[in-house]
Amino acid sequence: MSTVQSIALEKTALGNIALESIVLGAIADDFTGATDLANNLVRGGMRCLQVIGVPQETIDLQDVDAVVIALKSRSCPVDEAITDSLTALEWLRGQGARQLFFKYCSTFDSTDKGNIGPVADALLDRLGASQTVMVPAFPINGRTVYQGHLFVGDRLLNDSGMQHHPLNPMQDADLVRVLSRQTPFPVGLLGHSVIAKGAGAAFDHLSALAEQGTRHVICDTLDEQNLDILAEATVLMPLVTGGSGLGQALPVQYRAQGWLKPITEPGRLQPASGSVLVLSGSCSTATLAQVADFLACHPNSGFALDPLSLAESDRQLEQALVFARQRLSEQTPVLIYASADLEKVSAAQQALGVARAGALVEEALSQLAVTLVNEGVGQLLDAGGETSGAVVSALGISTLRIGEQIDPGVPWTQAPLEGREAPLSLALKSGNFGGVDFFTRAFEVLA
């Protein structure tokens, strides 16, 4: 990459940079996705703050290198997703962010109409930029891209279980084809054969595609070395997009640019305190296995919620609260879950509608979280992007300091709560992430 090219790219980025400014500003389309990215930024050596929604008041960004704004824009109407994302963009530009990152799931969760393509287009338009990359891969978690096709482990996306996703079923693994249905602009491919030649070759290929008018470029990614190459090739792009894998590779490039100093213990948190609670609303295969493992390790410590029962009355919610209080008084870990197999989920959705079934679970878990945290729970783990967002909102949490990793993509975080001296320790887990023993091992990491 020539000096002239680097300067040209940097000047098109984000305008004048404040002397005291953040390096990276990220916009995530759900809560656990935001935490996933923030986790990898910390692992890359950045001090990171996650913000819930666009801040409405001044936030102290001293000793913060990256801010990740968590939105709830993955499955909402396209216009709403665009509006929220642009508002987030303007706030991050106001903090002097040198680069913007639009973060979505490593399984490219979306529909044929969006929201990934429309939001990316809106962000590019606002920045006055001509091109961005799409790097959803997270190889350490088994998400790779080859010849533009997304794999989950050794299975194509549409044969991985994601074809049955209750909100965004993914039935096409060809990401060039998927994205082409979401945007009127050309979609290209940066293939593995080019990436294998290094960052210079990747940069030149992207430049050639830009000259041809190709606005979005799906990037093959088979391993972390590919992520390193892509980070080097795109560090001066105004906007990059993708999963959290790219987030771990970018800090090295920021240090090479002189934007980021070496930092010791970027994920250091205060000591944890309080009783232990696990809430689970995800119905992913990984989470179902984690629920089963927890129940095997802690017999009689789990309570199952059913959307159909929740729709009838508050009785089951009251029963769950009595159950949790009893177990917590015995200093026993507690799991309250609505996680269920596909047959049960489908039955509830058919009877209640997809939106209402999900809303009932989110509301129930949120009410339980607020009540039990007020009564002394200090270590809370929540599984599922939608339910995590609902729980965080109900607790009135606006910022999360990002701590150490539990499993790839999932760190512990801490949030200050009004009226409490000690912060709440909180882990927000994407449904598909974490090993089978995640619900028990997470608290060993925090201890």
Side-chain angles (χ1 to χ4, degrees):
M1 183 185 309
S2 73
T3 302
V4 173
Q5 288 172 317
S6 297
I7 293 174
L9 271 176
E10 189 168 13
K11 284 185 176 180
T12 64
L14 296 170
N16 296 325
I17 302 298
L19 292 177
E20 297 295 333
S21 61
I22 60 174
V23 177
L24 179 66
I27 303 164
D29 66 359
D30 83 340
F31 287 84
T32 55
T35 309
D36 174 15
L37 174 60
N39 172 66
N40 272 357
L41 294 173
V42 169
R43 286 173 58 78
M46 301 184 80
R47 296 163 298 182
C48 189
L49 189 71
Q50 180 174 332
V51 181
I52 313 306
V54 181
Q56 301 300 311
E57 55 188 29
T58 302
I59 293 178
D60 182 6
L61 296 180
Q62 185 177 2
D63 299 327
V64 173
D65 306 302
V67 174
V68 181
I69 295 180
L71 301 178
K72 200 172 182 180
S73 58
R74 179 170 300 172
S75 304
C76 70
V78 171
D79 290 346
E80 181 181 337
I82 290 173
T83 298
D84 290 349
S85 299
L86 290 177
T87 302
L89 170 66
E90 292 303 330
W91 189 89
L92 292 167
R93 293 178 80 183
Q95 313 313 309
R98 292 178 179 268
Q99 187 171 50
L100 269 296
F101 193 131
F102 170 37
K103 197 277 177 191
Y104 39 80
C105 187
S106 60
T107 49
F108 216 71
D109 287 26
S110 194
T111 69
D112 279 352
K113 294 184 179 179
N115 292 343
I116 294 174
V119 169
D121 281 330
L123 295 174
L124 285 169
D125 288 342
R126 183 63 58 88
L127 290 169
S130 60
Q131 186 185 74
T132 189
V133 289
M134 300 276 173
V135 190
F138 194 0
I140 196 170
N141 262 7
R143 277 64 165 173
T144 56
V145 178
Y146 182 66
Q147 293 301 303
H149 288 69
L150 180 56
F151 287 79
V152 178
D154 61 355
R155 312 295 291 181
L156 283 166
L157 177 66
N158 56 293
D159 194 29
S160 68
M162 282 300 297
Q163 70 269 32
H164 302 307
H165 191 286
L167 293 178
N168 300 319
M170 298 302 295
Q171 299 174 344
D172 190 350
D174 186 335
L175 299 190
V176 174
R177 192 162 55 207
V178 170
L179 192 60
S180 294
R181 293 193 290 264
Q182 297 183 22
T183 175
F185 297 97
V187 179
L189 175 67
L190 174 55
H192 184 261
S193 61
V194 176
I195 294 171
K197 297 176 183 178
F203 178 89
D204 290 343
H205 187 78
L206 290 169
S207 299
L209 289 174
E211 290 178 1
Q212 297 167 16
T214 303
R215 195 177 214 200
H216 305 283
V217 184
I218 302 293
C219 298
D220 278 1
T221 317
L222 297 183
D223 52 34
E224 294 192 7
Q225 183 179 3
N226 289 169
L227 289 173
D228 293 339
I229 291 170
L230 289 170
E232 183 178 352
T234 62
V235 64
L236 295 178
M237 270 190 170
L239 173 72
V240 293
T241 86
S244 65
L246 185 62
Q248 191 170 330
L250 283 169
V252 171
Q253 302 305 321
Y254 296 152
R255 283 190 285 273
Q257 294 292 325
W259 300 345
L260 181 67
K261 297 178 181 178
I263 299 160
T264 58
E265 295 187 295
R268 187 173 187 176
L269 299 177
Q270 297 183 38
S273 62
S275 51
V276 171
L277 175 65
V278 181
L279 302 175
S280 180
S282 170
C283 297
S284 71
T285 302
T287 299
L288 292 176
Q290 290 156 1
V291 168
D293 180 79
F294 179 94
L295 296 176
C297 293
H298 303 282
N300 304 316
S301 291
F303 187 98
L305 296 175
D306 174 35
L308 295 173
S309 297
L310 293 172
E312 291 178 358
S313 70
D314 292 334
R315 185 168 180 269
Q316 190 178 59
L317 182 59
E318 293 167 357
Q319 291 173 335
L321 190 57
V322 170
F323 175 89
R325 283 170 172 157
Q326 177 62 37
R327 297 304 186 279
L328 292 172
S329 70
E330 299 168 355
Q331 298 185 341
T332 302
V334 178
L335 168 64
I336 309 295
Y337 62 101
S339 304
D341 59 30
L342 180 61
E343 183 177 348
K344 290 182 180 179
V345 172
S346 297
Q349 290 178 340
Q350 289 176 8
L352 302 170
V354 174
R356 189 175 180 221
L360 284 165
V361 170
E362 291 173 22
E363 184 177 352
L365 292 177
S366 297
Q367 290 184 36
L368 289 166
V370 170
T371 300
L372 295 172
V373 166
N374 286 337
E375 294 178 2
V377 166
Q379 304 171 60
L380 175 62
L381 189 159
D382 192 286
E386 298 298 322
T387 54
S388 290
V391 166
V392 166
S393 296
L395 288 168
I397 293 172
S398 59
T399 61
L400 294 168
R401 190 78 188 210
I402 308 301
E404 296 298 330
Q405 175 174 278
I406 304 166
D407 265 348
V410 194
W412 276 107
T413 74
Q414 284 186 340
L417 290 180
E418 188 174 350
R420 291 174 57 129
E421 291 187 10
L424 174 67
S425 295
L426 186 65
L428 306 173
K429 187 192 82 71
S430 176
N432 291 304
F433 283 6
V436 68
D437 61 344
F438 184 90
F439 286 177
T440 52
R441 187 167 43 79
F443 299 99
E444 297 171 2
V445 172
L446 187 62

